[in-house]
Amino acid sequence: MQDVAPKNTLNKKFFIKTFGCQMNKNDSFLMCKILTEHGFKMVDDPAYADIFIVNTCTVRDHAANRALAYTSGLKNWRKEGDRILAVVGCLAKSNADDITRKLNHVDLILGPDSYRVIGNYIAQIKEKKVRIIDTRLSGETYYGIYHSPTTVVDFVSIMRGCNNYCSYCIVPFVRGQARSRPFADICSEIANLVKHGVKDITLLGQNVNEYNHDNLDFAGLLERIARIPGAFRIRFLTSHPKDFSKETVQVIKNHHNICEWFHLPLQSGNDRVLQLMNRKYTREHYRTLVEYIRQEIPNATVTTDLIVGFPTETEEEFLETISMVEEIRFDYAYMYRYSRRTGTKASNIQSLDENTIKRRLSELIPIQNEITKEKTSEMIGREYEVLFESAARGKASRGKTRGNKDVIVQTQIKPGEVRNVVIKEVKGHTPIGELVDA
Ligand code: SF4
């Protein structure tokens, strides 16, 4: 990246660097829309920007440190010309004091509820040369702001914030209490995306199963969304096993446009640890839920998140996580070591030593990876409905099954097309297929 841009290009141009989850990526699209409406223009090289926005994540120590180090490295960029550096998002909310004190080159610090006014703040900073910090939680849902899609796959936030206070998680502190968007607003955003060619929409929320607006629950919302006109697939992230209802499973079963992909974070396979995590379900509840899903929807894909080395987790308790992994046989799992977040309940409990946590993670990963490999191999010879998203290397195309698995075919296919594919082999971790109707 260059540090200096030709002077005449420095005019209301912004660049956004995004760390973290899909919700954060969606927030970056939201800011892009808000700034564009204020007459700003997004550029893809910071050398040509006079506003640099770092959208940060604090869900794990590693993500927070990366965002801080990245921002700290922007001193030289900030020195050139009349430039503005903004740090926004979850880390801006949780570490505003630190950023204010230690990173003097940051002009704007915004929490996740303050994006609506980002254009006004930038104008004030340009005009008055002041520093602005706004990390208030206001219950914002960004009603009526719909970003412009750039690909056939997109995301719609149906709610923001979280009330669950899982004891390891910083999200309720940085994103505030759960609030759901009205169906009419969600419906307008989806209709706008579909009108612009989007074919795969993932509904986003920290715990989508807690969606509730005017007595419309998540199952009811899904059902209504499934009836919105247009050919598009529906997915949702993230679910909470304590709130996942049988009604939701039935709605998915009864609507072909809702994909049968269930991302259900288990976190631990031990009841005492689950209780300490404040997850409010048991191993048995989780097992029964997955059994019900698989009984009703036999081709369901089930994926999960796992945390290893939660404070006080014993060796036997860790082995219970392994036994759940072996029993459930997840299609895929995101596996993390416990990361202490200041301010959470778990941060008051003595952490395990790092070597034990690392060793446990290194024992878990190959077990799940082997299961993932076996599950992927089971795809060989089977037919899948694949939505093609982009070109792949050579003259190939990449798409996703309804179960969210990447598939490659050696044919050029227009993004947005849905074709039936038979899987012929697995290369690395990727299933390679052929079109059924080629
Ligand atoms: S459900 Fe738990 S883990 Fe998920 S965002 Fe809320 S508090 Fe965090």
Side-chain angles (χ1 to χ4, degrees), residues 162-180:
C162 184
N163 296 339
N164 290 292
Y165 291 95
C166 299
S167 65
Y168 52 83
C169 182
I170 194 81
V171 166
F173 302 94
V174 292
R175 286 191 169 264
Q177 295 290 289
R179 63 273 183 188
S180 301

PDB file of all heavy atoms in Angstrom, residues 162-180:
ATOM      1  N   CYS A 162     -27.548  -8.839  22.237  1.00  0.00           N
ATOM      2  CA  CYS A 162     -27.797 -10.159  22.827  1.00  0.00           C
ATOM      3  C   CYS A 162     -28.047 -10.016  24.323  1.00  0.00           C
ATOM      4  O   CYS A 162     -27.400  -9.210  24.990  1.00  0.00           O
ATOM      5  CB  CYS A 162     -26.582 -11.060  22.590  1.00  0.00           C
ATOM      6  SG  CYS A 162     -26.853 -12.733  23.178  1.00  0.00           S
ATOM      7  N   ASN A 163     -28.991 -10.825  24.843  1.00  0.00           N
ATOM      8  CA  ASN A 163     -29.304 -10.791  26.284  1.00  0.00           C
ATOM      9  C   ASN A 163     -28.794 -12.014  27.014  1.00  0.00           C
ATOM     10  O   ASN A 163     -29.129 -12.210  28.167  1.00  0.00           O
ATOM     11  CB  ASN A 163     -30.827 -10.834  26.494  1.00  0.00           C
ATOM     12  CG  ASN A 163     -31.513  -9.629  25.941  1.00  0.00           C
ATOM     13  OD1 ASN A 163     -30.891  -8.595  25.757  1.00  0.00           O
ATOM     14  ND2 ASN A 163     -32.798  -9.758  25.687  1.00  0.00           N
ATOM     15  N   ASN A 164     -28.068 -12.877  26.338  1.00  0.00           N
ATOM     16  CA  ASN A 164     -27.826 -14.187  26.946  1.00  0.00           C
ATOM     17  C   ASN A 164     -26.684 -14.220  27.972  1.00  0.00           C
ATOM     18  O   ASN A 164     -26.655 -15.092  28.817  1.00  0.00           O
ATOM     19  CB  ASN A 164     -27.586 -15.224  25.852  1.00  0.00           C
ATOM     20  CG  ASN A 164     -28.872 -15.494  25.103  1.00  0.00           C
ATOM     21  OD1 ASN A 164     -29.805 -16.068  25.659  1.00  0.00           O
ATOM     22  ND2 ASN A 164     -28.961 -15.030  23.875  1.00  0.00           N
ATOM     23  N   TYR A 165     -25.769 -13.321  27.872  1.00  0.00           N
ATOM     24  CA  TYR A 165     -24.659 -13.251  28.829  1.00  0.00           C
ATOM     25  C   TYR A 165     -24.007 -14.606  29.059  1.00  0.00           C
ATOM     26  O   TYR A 165     -23.840 -15.033  30.203  1.00  0.00           O
ATOM     27  CB  TYR A 165     -25.110 -12.626  30.151  1.00  0.00           C
ATOM     28  CG  TYR A 165     -25.423 -11.156  30.003  1.00  0.00           C
ATOM     29  CD1 TYR A 165     -26.728 -10.738  29.771  1.00  0.00           C
ATOM     30  CD2 TYR A 165     -24.415 -10.209  30.043  1.00  0.00           C
ATOM     31  CE1 TYR A 165     -27.021  -9.388  29.594  1.00  0.00           C
ATOM     32  CE2 TYR A 165     -24.698  -8.850  29.862  1.00  0.00           C
ATOM     33  CZ  TYR A 165     -26.002  -8.459  29.635  1.00  0.00           C
ATOM     34  OH  TYR A 165     -26.275  -7.149  29.458  1.00  0.00           O
ATOM     35  N   CYS A 166     -23.669 -15.295  27.989  1.00  0.00           N
ATOM     36  CA  CYS A 166     -22.822 -16.478  28.150  1.00  0.00           C
ATOM     37  C   CYS A 166     -21.576 -15.971  28.875  1.00  0.00           C
ATOM     38  O   CYS A 166     -21.072 -14.886  28.544  1.00  0.00           O
ATOM     39  CB  CYS A 166     -22.468 -17.075  26.789  1.00  0.00           C
ATOM     40  SG  CYS A 166     -23.936 -17.599  25.895  1.00  0.00           S
ATOM     41  N   SER A 167     -21.113 -16.729  29.853  1.00  0.00           N
ATOM     42  CA  SER A 167     -20.176 -16.122  30.799  1.00  0.00           C
ATOM     43  C   SER A 167     -18.818 -15.770  30.193  1.00  0.00           C
ATOM     44  O   SER A 167     -18.047 -15.031  30.784  1.00  0.00           O
ATOM     45  CB  SER A 167     -19.984 -17.041  32.002  1.00  0.00           C
ATOM     46  OG  SER A 167     -19.370 -18.227  31.583  1.00  0.00           O
ATOM     47  N   TYR A 168     -18.509 -16.300  29.014  1.00  0.00           N
ATOM     48  CA  TYR A 168     -17.219 -16.022  28.369  1.00  0.00           C
ATOM     49  C   TYR A 168     -17.318 -14.892  27.346  1.00  0.00           C
ATOM     50  O   TYR A 168     -16.325 -14.483  26.771  1.00  0.00           O
ATOM     51  CB  TYR A 168     -16.707 -17.283  27.645  1.00  0.00           C
ATOM     52  CG  TYR A 168     -17.739 -17.884  26.716  1.00  0.00           C
ATOM     53  CD1 TYR A 168     -17.916 -17.400  25.433  1.00  0.00           C
ATOM     54  CD2 TYR A 168     -18.577 -18.910  27.162  1.00  0.00           C
ATOM     55  CE1 TYR A 168     -18.896 -17.925  24.600  1.00  0.00           C
ATOM     56  CE2 TYR A 168     -19.562 -19.440  26.339  1.00  0.00           C
ATOM     57  CZ  TYR A 168     -19.720 -18.931  25.055  1.00  0.00           C
ATOM     58  OH  TYR A 168     -20.707 -19.438  24.253  1.00  0.00           O
ATOM     59  N   CYS A 169     -18.531 -14.390  27.092  1.00  0.00           N
ATOM     60  CA  CYS A 169     -18.751 -13.595  25.884  1.00  0.00           C
ATOM     61  C   CYS A 169     -18.907 -12.090  26.171  1.00  0.00           C
ATOM     62  O   CYS A 169     -19.666 -11.682  27.048  1.00  0.00           O
ATOM     63  CB  CYS A 169     -19.991 -14.129  25.174  1.00  0.00           C
ATOM     64  SG  CYS A 169     -20.325 -13.250  23.642  1.00  0.00           S
ATOM     65  N   ILE A 170     -18.231 -11.295  25.371  1.00  0.00           N
ATOM     66  CA  ILE A 170     -18.220  -9.844  25.549  1.00  0.00           C
ATOM     67  C   ILE A 170     -19.360  -9.169  24.774  1.00  0.00           C
ATOM     68  O   ILE A 170     -19.664  -7.991  24.984  1.00  0.00           O
ATOM     69  CB  ILE A 170     -16.829  -9.297  25.108  1.00  0.00           C
ATOM     70  CG1 ILE A 170     -16.571  -7.855  25.557  1.00  0.00           C
ATOM     71  CG2 ILE A 170     -16.634  -9.395  23.609  1.00  0.00           C
ATOM     72  CD1 ILE A 170     -16.122  -7.712  26.962  1.00  0.00           C
ATOM     73  N   VAL A 171     -20.017  -9.929  23.872  1.00  0.00           N
ATOM     74  CA  VAL A 171     -20.970  -9.313  22.942  1.00  0.00           C
ATOM     75  C   VAL A 171     -22.075  -8.483  23.625  1.00  0.00           C
ATOM     76  O   VAL A 171     -22.332  -7.348  23.225  1.00  0.00           O
ATOM     77  CB  VAL A 171     -21.564 -10.373  21.973  1.00  0.00           C
ATOM     78  CG1 VAL A 171     -22.779  -9.843  21.232  1.00  0.00           C
ATOM     79  CG2 VAL A 171     -20.500 -10.793  20.975  1.00  0.00           C
ATOM     80  N   PRO A 172     -22.768  -8.997  24.659  1.00  0.00           N
ATOM     81  CA  PRO A 172     -23.834  -8.176  25.252  1.00  0.00           C
ATOM     82  C   PRO A 172     -23.316  -6.833  25.792  1.00  0.00           C
ATOM     83  O   PRO A 172     -24.069  -5.861  25.850  1.00  0.00           O
ATOM     84  CB  PRO A 172     -24.362  -9.049  26.400  1.00  0.00           C
ATOM     85  CG  PRO A 172     -24.003 -10.443  25.999  1.00  0.00           C
ATOM     86  CD  PRO A 172     -22.684 -10.329  25.291  1.00  0.00           C
ATOM     87  N   PHE A 173     -22.032  -6.785  26.172  1.00  0.00           N
ATOM     88  CA  PHE A 173     -21.469  -5.542  26.718  1.00  0.00           C
ATOM     89  C   PHE A 173     -21.131  -4.545  25.613  1.00  0.00           C
ATOM     90  O   PHE A 173     -21.170  -3.345  25.836  1.00  0.00           O
ATOM     91  CB  PHE A 173     -20.199  -5.845  27.535  1.00  0.00           C
ATOM     92  CG  PHE A 173     -20.446  -6.798  28.672  1.00  0.00           C
ATOM     93  CD1 PHE A 173     -20.234  -8.160  28.509  1.00  0.00           C
ATOM     94  CD2 PHE A 173     -20.923  -6.348  29.896  1.00  0.00           C
ATOM     95  CE1 PHE A 173     -20.483  -9.054  29.544  1.00  0.00           C
ATOM     96  CE2 PHE A 173     -21.173  -7.229  30.936  1.00  0.00           C
ATOM     97  CZ  PHE A 173     -20.959  -8.582  30.762  1.00  0.00           C
ATOM     98  N   VAL A 174     -20.774  -5.049  24.452  1.00  0.00           N
ATOM     99  CA  VAL A 174     -20.360  -4.119  23.386  1.00  0.00           C
ATOM    100  C   VAL A 174     -21.447  -3.859  22.347  1.00  0.00           C
ATOM    101  O   VAL A 174     -21.415  -2.849  21.646  1.00  0.00           O
ATOM    102  CB  VAL A 174     -19.053  -4.581  22.682  1.00  0.00           C
ATOM    103  CG1 VAL A 174     -17.877  -4.495  23.628  1.00  0.00           C
ATOM    104  CG2 VAL A 174     -19.176  -5.971  22.096  1.00  0.00           C
ATOM    105  N   ARG A 175     -22.407  -4.766  22.243  1.00  0.00           N
ATOM    106  CA  ARG A 175     -23.473  -4.577  21.242  1.00  0.00           C
ATOM    107  C   ARG A 175     -24.836  -4.350  21.877  1.00  0.00           C
ATOM    108  O   ARG A 175     -25.827  -4.157  21.179  1.00  0.00           O
ATOM    109  CB  ARG A 175     -23.528  -5.768  20.284  1.00  0.00           C
ATOM    110  CG  ARG A 175     -22.366  -5.769  19.285  1.00  0.00           C
ATOM    111  CD  ARG A 175     -22.564  -6.778  18.194  1.00  0.00           C
ATOM    112  NE  ARG A 175     -21.598  -6.601  17.126  1.00  0.00           N
ATOM    113  CZ  ARG A 175     -21.840  -5.911  16.011  1.00  0.00           C
ATOM    114  NH1 ARG A 175     -22.992  -5.335  15.816  1.00  0.00           N
ATOM    115  NH2 ARG A 175     -20.915  -5.806  15.087  1.00  0.00           N
ATOM    116  N   GLY A 176     -24.879  -4.406  23.216  1.00  0.00           N
ATOM    117  CA  GLY A 176     -26.112  -4.061  23.923  1.00  0.00           C
ATOM    118  C   GLY A 176     -27.153  -5.172  23.917  1.00  0.00           C
ATOM    119  O   GLY A 176     -26.900  -6.298  23.468  1.00  0.00           O
ATOM    120  N   GLN A 177     -28.327  -4.837  24.441  1.00  0.00           N
ATOM    121  CA  GLN A 177     -29.406  -5.797  24.599  1.00  0.00           C
ATOM    122  C   GLN A 177     -30.018  -6.178  23.248  1.00  0.00           C
ATOM    123  O   GLN A 177     -29.981  -5.386  22.305  1.00  0.00           O
ATOM    124  CB  GLN A 177     -30.492  -5.194  25.485  1.00  0.00           C
ATOM    125  CG  GLN A 177     -30.020  -4.929  26.903  1.00  0.00           C
ATOM    126  CD  GLN A 177     -29.796  -6.233  27.670  1.00  0.00           C
ATOM    127  OE1 GLN A 177     -30.742  -6.922  28.008  1.00  0.00           O
ATOM    128  NE2 GLN A 177     -28.540  -6.572  27.931  1.00  0.00           N
ATOM    129  N   ALA A 178     -30.619  -7.370  23.206  1.00  0.00           N
ATOM    130  CA  ALA A 178     -31.209  -7.841  21.948  1.00  0.00           C
ATOM    131  C   ALA A 178     -32.401  -6.978  21.554  1.00  0.00           C
ATOM    132  O   ALA A 178     -33.212  -6.606  22.393  1.00  0.00           O
ATOM    133  CB  ALA A 178     -31.664  -9.289  22.119  1.00  0.00           C
ATOM    134  N   ARG A 179     -32.476  -6.614  20.313  1.00  0.00           N
ATOM    135  CA  ARG A 179     -33.682  -5.965  19.765  1.00  0.00           C
ATOM    136  C   ARG A 179     -33.850  -6.442  18.325  1.00  0.00           C
ATOM    137  O   ARG A 179     -32.874  -6.589  17.586  1.00  0.00           O
ATOM    138  CB  ARG A 179     -33.614  -4.436  19.864  1.00  0.00           C
ATOM    139  CG  ARG A 179     -32.536  -3.757  19.101  1.00  0.00           C
ATOM    140  CD  ARG A 179     -31.244  -3.668  19.908  1.00  0.00           C
ATOM    141  NE  ARG A 179     -30.208  -2.951  19.192  1.00  0.00           N
ATOM    142  CZ  ARG A 179     -28.958  -2.869  19.593  1.00  0.00           C
ATOM    143  NH1 ARG A 179     -28.541  -3.479  20.683  1.00  0.00           N
ATOM    144  NH2 ARG A 179     -28.088  -2.184  18.907  1.00  0.00           N
ATOM    145  N   SER A 180     -35.122  -6.699  17.983  1.00  0.00           N
ATOM    146  CA  SER A 180     -35.431  -7.292  16.681  1.00  0.00           C
ATOM    147  C   SER A 180     -35.943  -6.223  15.737  1.00  0.00           C
ATOM    148  O   SER A 180     -36.641  -5.300  16.143  1.00  0.00           O
ATOM    149  CB  SER A 180     -36.501  -8.371  16.852  1.00  0.00           C
ATOM    150  OG  SER A 180     -36.035  -9.357  17.744  1.00  0.00           O
TER     151      SER A 180
END
